Structures are given as structure tokens and as C-alpha cells.
């Protein structure tokens, strides 16, 4: 099925449950950016913030999904967080995927990052939860381009991001000055500039 720009909201079935998402796609792209969200947020935040448009304008396919039980997506039984992400990626024919995982959505992204990093082209954790679910040595061994973003004033997660994510060999650490936990909201222009620069370095 051909995909057109600014399409959505769309719905697909994943393991018997309805999943809502946006799919902004240029005529061709070598990367897909899969945008997850935090507990108090949804796919709509990436639309309102301009992240979907920014990615599209820079030639990237951008997908923002409502995670199971959030936004317009139904709750899901019988699937782990890792299984959901893997099945969703397959359902939307996402190739060379870069996952953006703020806060709560780290519970979905981190298991995939460590169990099957080969299906990913990169990872953009934004002060995610579950950082300490893996040992420092596992981060040191991770072979994946990573952009780790966090807010200067995020006292709860800043230390973990710097210690654990900072140990990844191919990591770029980016602190948002005066940023809070959802630091991308505090300086959208800097967030977008940093994200596009990181993506441009992934071949």
C-alpha cells in the first residue's frame, strides 16, 4: 500500500488490539523514526510539537504511535513490551528503524535494544525509565548509534543517563539547558536540531 505524507491518525491490529499511530512519510527515505511517548503523553504531542513535520521535511519517515492502553490504542494482553514493539515495526513495514523513547517508553525500547539491536539503526533515549534494568557492562558492550538526551534540571534521571547511557561506545550525550524531565518540550528547536544532526550521521 502506498504511503502518503501526513497520513493519519491510522489504526492497525496488533495481536487482536487496535493500535493508533501517525505515519508521515516522504517519497523515499533510508530511515524510519519511531516516536514513542511518556506516561502523560501520546502520539499527539509529537504532532503538536512539530517533530513529525520536522522529520518529514528533512526526508525521514516519522511514525508516532500510541502505546497500548494510551491515547487511542487499546490495552493489550498476552504481549510483552518487547513483543509489541517488534510486531508493530513489522506491521508498518519499518526498515532501518531509529526508536525515540522518552521516560516511561523506555520499558518498551530498552528490551528491544538489548535483545535484538540488529533490527535497529539507532536509539534516542530521552531520560528513559528502566535504565538500571541492565548492567553498566551491557551498555559498554552495546554496538548501536545512540543519542541520549536529558534535561539539566532532571534530578531524578540525569545521573543515570550520564553514568549508564554515557558508557555506550557510540553515544552522543545531549543535555538540554534548564530542561525538565520531558526536556524536548522546554526547547523544541534545540531538540529538533539535535535529533536531525544525529540522524544525518546514520548511514
Amino acid at each position: 500500500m502506498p504511503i502518503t505524507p501526513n497520513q493519519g491518525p491510522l489504526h492497525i491490529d496488533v495481536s487482536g488490539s487496535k493500535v493508533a499511530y501517525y505515519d508521515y512519510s516522504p517519497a523515499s527515505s533510508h530511515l524510519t523514526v519511531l516516536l514513542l511517548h511518556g506516561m502523560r503523553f501520546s502520539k499527539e504531542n509529537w504532532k503538536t510539537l512539530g517533530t513529525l513535520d520536522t522529520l518529514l521535511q528533512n526526508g525521514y519517515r516519522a511514525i508516532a504511535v500510541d502505546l497500548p492502553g494510551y491515547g487511542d490504542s487499546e490495552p493489550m494482553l498476552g504481549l510483552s513490551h518487547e513483543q509489541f514493539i517488534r510486531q508493530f515495526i513489522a506491521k508498518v513495514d519499518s526498515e532501518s528503524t531509529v526508536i525515540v523513547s522518552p521516560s516511561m517508553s523506555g520499558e518498551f525500547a530498552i528490551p528491544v535494544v538489548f535483545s535484538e539491536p540488529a533490527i535497529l539503526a539507532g536509539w534516542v533515549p530521552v531520560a528513559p525509565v528502566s535504565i538500571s534494568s541492565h548492567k553498566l557492562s551491557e551498555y559498554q558492550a552495546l554496538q548501536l548509534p545512540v543519542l541520549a538526551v536529558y534535561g539539566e534540571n532532571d534530578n531524578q534521571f540525569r545521573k543515570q543517563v550520564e553514568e549508564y547511557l554515557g558508557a555506550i561506545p557510540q553515544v552522543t550525550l545531549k543535555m538540554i539547558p534548564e530542561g525538565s524531565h520531558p526536556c524536548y518540550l522546554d526547547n523544541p528547536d534545540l531538540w529538533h536540531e539535535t535529533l536531525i544532526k544525529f540522524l544525518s550521521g546514520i548511514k
Side-chain angles (χ1 to χ4, degrees), residues 155-175:
N155 296 324
Q156 183 176 358
F157 289 95
R158 176 177 174 175
K159 184 177 179 180
Q160 283 192 341
V161 169
E162 292 175 339
E163 180 180 357
Y164 286 86
L165 302 184
I168 297 170
Q170 299 179 65
V171 71
T172 299
L173 282 174
K174 181 63 178 181
M175 182 183 71

Side-chain angles (χ1 to χ4, degrees), residues 181-194:
H181 183 50
C183 56
Y184 46 89
L185 297 179
D186 300 310
N187 194 332
D189 289 342
L190 180 57
W191 156 246
H192 291 145
E193 175 187 336
T194 302

Side-chain angles (χ1 to χ4, degrees), residues 38-59:
M39 183 174 291
R40 296 185 293 110
F41 302 97
S42 73
K43 67 183 185 305
E44 301 299 332
N45 295 95
W46 298 119
K47 182 178 181 181
T48 303
L49 194 65
T51 304
L52 287 165
D53 280 327
T54 298
L55 289 166
L56 179 65
Q57 290 162 8
N58 282 273

Side-chain angles (χ1 to χ4, degrees), residues 10-22:
L10 304 172
H11 299 89
I12 58 170
D13 180 280
V14 177
S15 192
S17 295
K18 182 185 73 172
V19 176
Y21 67 104
Y22 287 115

Side-chain angles (χ1 to χ4, degrees), residues 133-153:
S133 63
H134 289 265
K135 297 178 181 178
L136 182 61
S137 59
E138 294 178 271
Y139 287 97
Q140 292 170 331
L142 184 62
Q143 297 301 315
L144 190 68
V146 174
L147 169 64
V149 183
Y150 61 103
E152 181 180 14
N153 297 330

